[in-house]
Amino acid sequence: MTPHEIDNALTLASTRRHFFRDCGVGVGSIALSALLARESQGADVPHAPRKDPLAPKKPHFTPKAKAVIYLFMAGAPSQLELFEPKPKLNELNGQKVPESFTQGKRFAFIKGDAKLLGSARKFSKVGKCGMELSELLPFHREIADEVCWLRGMKTDVFNHGPAKCFINTGSPQFGRPSMGAWATYGLGSECDSLPGFVVLQSGPRGPRGGASLYGSGFLPSVYQGVPFLKGPNPILDLNPPPGVDLQKQGEFVDAVKDLNKLRLDATGDPEIETRIAAYEMAYRMQTSAPELMDLAKEDKKTLDLYGVAPGKPSFSANCLLARRLVQRGVRFVQLYHTDWDHHGGNGLDLTKPLESICKEVDQPCAALVKDLKRLGLLDSTLVIWGGEFGRTPMGETREAVGRDHHIDAYTMWLAGGGIKPGFIYGQSDEIGYNVSENPVHVHDLQATILHQLGFDHTKLTFRFQGRDYRLTDVHGNVVKEIIA
């Protein structure tokens, strides 16, 4: 091209960019109008740009729960070793499962002709509710009458990553908003110095599915879960670099906020709101986060209750942190603990490995429920315990004994947040294969959780790509029988 032709091309490109930016009926204006047309049905405030997108908002009706603590047992605990004794299964140990059970079914690894496997664990009835608990969960016996036991859980997905995605986001496909993101989108947060949705992890590795399990999907990213790291500095780059004092940093934050505000006024892009809120939150967290993580401020009695070793990261410490977070107004706290995937290989089987991981979670889970009740927080905090699916009544033989993934019947539990305490709901058949009474599908559980937070799950929606999406998609019913 000649210099003259290059000049003309640059002028044309510049003119085109200015046209789309400034024209009242241009593409930029159309996109902005579409953004502003989105309506938040989870709040009584307009969806115009807000000073703080995490400001508290009103739900559809008066909620029973203000916060959620989700104890996610990544890898899927075996309900047949923990919560559901099956004498008939023990009697049929080693026999082939009837074909009527497996016809048309798919499993992750085993074949339909796998042999039934009884449990070697001892069970006993505990509490006034008469829940049958395994010897592996001695501390759970102390909270049996505080918990609602869901023994008829069902899901649709039998591989770990998609199944974790399904129970957390309502879809096996990655990219949808997580339950915690929906909760903070609808309710905001009551804490202005910590994120509204916090994620804590423990165990040998992170959960399969990674950040998608606590992401915001197509919701503004301000609602995504913020993972806290182990140790005294939970957030990377939280503290200012050497030579930058708080005054200089404050001036920087103010200047960036002014620039972002100018751009927000020009475009209406909600991600700019996220950016402004992130800068301000990070500035406040420099004080709040280290104080939060300092468990030494808890008395010895409390540390002993949870089994916390000061200065040592653990699931126990995360349970205590979860209580401290909801005390400070954080809306949704999710704990992931791996690895419950006891197939029988790679050192993961139903003998000592299962005993070990049960010991890691039993005491702190029970302690969390008792501690919340002691502090008057259990009524307003919904505690959830469970994995992405259960384990098969059939055995899986590798190096040692184990069980495969099972989606048709397993157990979870709920406590607090307006849920009936000391209540057993649902039942599986005599070998633990199918739900025989009061099934609760994953979408039903999600609908019930949102209900306790004050939402009609069919109306907490977000318009994306031409349709209204919700956590439960087009499914789900509130399980009214378990609500106090």
Side-chain angles (χ1 to χ4, degrees):
M1 296 177 68
T2 67
H4 181 69
E5 289 172 328
I6 293 173
D7 241 7
N8 286 340
L10 289 173
T11 300
L12 179 61
S14 177
T15 303
R16 185 183 297 113
R17 284 196 300 271
H18 281 80
F19 171 78
F20 285 141
R21 186 190 69 188
D22 298 332
C23 179
V25 294
V27 174
S29 178
I30 294 170
L32 174 58
S33 298
L35 284 170
L36 296 178
R38 292 173 175 166
E39 293 183 359
S40 168
Q41 297 189 40
D44 290 340
V45 295
H47 192 67
R50 295 186 299 271
K51 182 178 181 181
D52 181 4
L54 282 174
K57 290 171 273 186
K58 292 182 180 180
H60 299 140
F61 48 83
T62 303
K64 297 287 184 71
K66 293 182 178 180
V68 174
I69 298 176
Y70 193 166
L71 307 171
F72 197 93
M73 304 294 113
S78 171
Q79 75 282 3
L80 298 168
E81 268 64 45
L82 302 181
F83 305 113
E84 296 188 45
K86 296 295 178 183
K88 189 65 174 180
L89 179 62
N90 289 350
E91 179 186 325
L92 298 175
N93 181 61
Q95 296 187 30
K96 181 182 175 182
V97 66
E99 188 176 342
S100 59
F101 283 84
T102 59
Q103 191 171 13
K105 300 287 185 179
R106 294 180 63 192
F107 302 95
F109 295 100
I110 63 174
K111 304 289 186 182
D113 60 356
K115 295 179 179 179
L116 293 169
L117 175 66
S119 175
R121 301 300 172 181
K122 296 179 182 179
F123 287 78
S124 57
K125 289 188 177 182
V126 296
K128 294 179 181 179
C129 66
M131 177 63 184
E132 294 172 289
L133 289 175
S134 162
E135 60 188 348
L136 295 175
L137 299 174
F139 287 93
H140 271 63
R141 297 164 182 260
E142 301 172 8
I143 60 167
D145 289 330
E146 300 294 342
V147 166
C148 177
W149 307 93
L150 302 179
R151 300 175 86 175
M153 285 298 304
K154 296 175 68 70
T155 186
D156 296 346
V157 191
F158 62 82
N159 283 326
H160 288 292
K164 287 183 176 71
C165 192
F166 186 58
I167 195 167
N168 279 286
T169 73
S171 170
Q173 298 175 333
F174 295 99
R176 298 284 182 88
S178 60
M179 196 185 312
W182 280 112
T184 50
Y185 162 66
L187 286 174
S189 177
E190 295 183 338
C191 180
D192 64 357
S193 59
L194 290 166
F197 177 16
V198 172
V199 177
L200 304 170
Q201 299 185 38
S202 55
R205 57 177 177 80
R208 292 185 180 94
S212 296
L213 306 182
Y214 46 85
S216 58
F218 43 71
L219 294 177
S221 56
V222 69
Y223 302 116
Q224 68 187 0
V226 177
F228 276 21
L229 306 178
K230 301 172 184 177
N233 298 311
I235 306 295
L236 289 173
D237 303 318
L238 184 63
N239 295 320
V244 178
D245 58 28
L246 286 178
Q247 181 179 348
K248 290 180 180 178
Q249 188 182 22
E251 292 171 354
F252 170 79
V253 170
D254 288 342
V256 171
K257 177 183 176 181
D258 290 343
L259 292 171
N260 281 327
K261 184 67 168 59
L262 289 172
R263 191 62 182 161
L264 176 63
D265 292 341
T267 66
D269 185 349
E271 287 304 305
I272 299 176
E273 282 188 311
T274 296
R275 195 179 307 153
I276 294 171
Y279 271 106
E280 294 176 341
M281 178 68 72
Y283 186 62
R284 294 190 294 268
M285 283 178 63
Q286 289 178 358
T287 299
S288 62
E291 185 276 332
L292 166 76
M293 303 296 285
D294 186 6
L295 299 184
K297 294 187 176 181
E298 297 285 344
D299 59 42
K300 186 176 185 301
K301 184 177 179 181
T302 300
L303 296 174
D304 290 344
L305 176 67
Y306 284 86
V308 171
K312 183 180 179 181
S314 64
F315 179 76
S316 298
N318 285 351
C319 283
L320 180 51
L321 283 172
R323 187 267 281 166
R324 291 168 65 85
L325 284 162
V326 298
Q327 272 186 306
R328 288 157 174 77
V330 173
R331 186 69 67 190
F332 203 101
V333 186
Q334 188 157 24
L335 283 65
Y336 288 92
H337 189 63
T338 55
D339 190 356
W340 288 90
D341 196 20
H342 296 109
H343 286 280
N346 300 318
L348 294 171
D349 58 58
L350 299 175
T351 58
K352 289 185 178 180
L354 177 60
E355 294 170 8
S356 177
I357 196 168
C358 285
K359 190 173 182 179
E360 291 170 5
V361 306
D362 179 35
Q363 180 179 350
C365 289
L368 176 62
V369 172
K370 289 188 286 187
D371 202 20
L372 288 169
K373 185 175 182 180
R374 175 182 69 87
L375 295 169
L377 294 170
L378 187 59
D379 288 344
S380 61
T381 305
L382 178 60
V383 183
I384 309 165
W385 190 102
E388 62 268 37
F389 40 64
R391 314 302 295 197
T392 55
M394 299 87 81
E396 181 178 359
T397 303
R398 297 190 183 185
E399 294 89 26
V401 64
R403 299 185 189 275
D404 199 7
H405 310 166
H406 194 60
I407 66 173
D408 293 309
Y410 63 104
T411 298
M412 294 181 66
W413 62 254
L414 307 176
I419 297 295
K420 285 183 182 178
F423 186 61
I424 302 170
Y425 188 76
Q427 183 65 44
S428 60
D429 60 38
E430 58 186 359
I431 65 170
Y433 196 99
N434 289 306
V435 175
S436 57
E437 179 184 330
N438 295 327
V440 176
H441 188 272
V442 161
H443 286 309
D444 300 329
L445 176 65
Q446 293 163 341
T448 305
I449 293 168
L450 291 181
H451 181 274
Q452 296 308 93
L453 290 171
F455 292 108
D456 178 339
H457 72 104
T458 67
K459 295 179 180 178
L460 182 62
T461 64
F462 190 88
R463 180 160 286 270
F464 176 66
Q465 293 184 340
R467 61 162 281 198
D468 289 334
Y469 283 85
R470 67 188 208 219
L471 173 63
T472 52
D473 195 29
V474 295
H475 310 284
N477 294 292
V478 175
V479 187
K480 296 180 180 179
E481 294 84 352
I482 70 172
I483 297 174

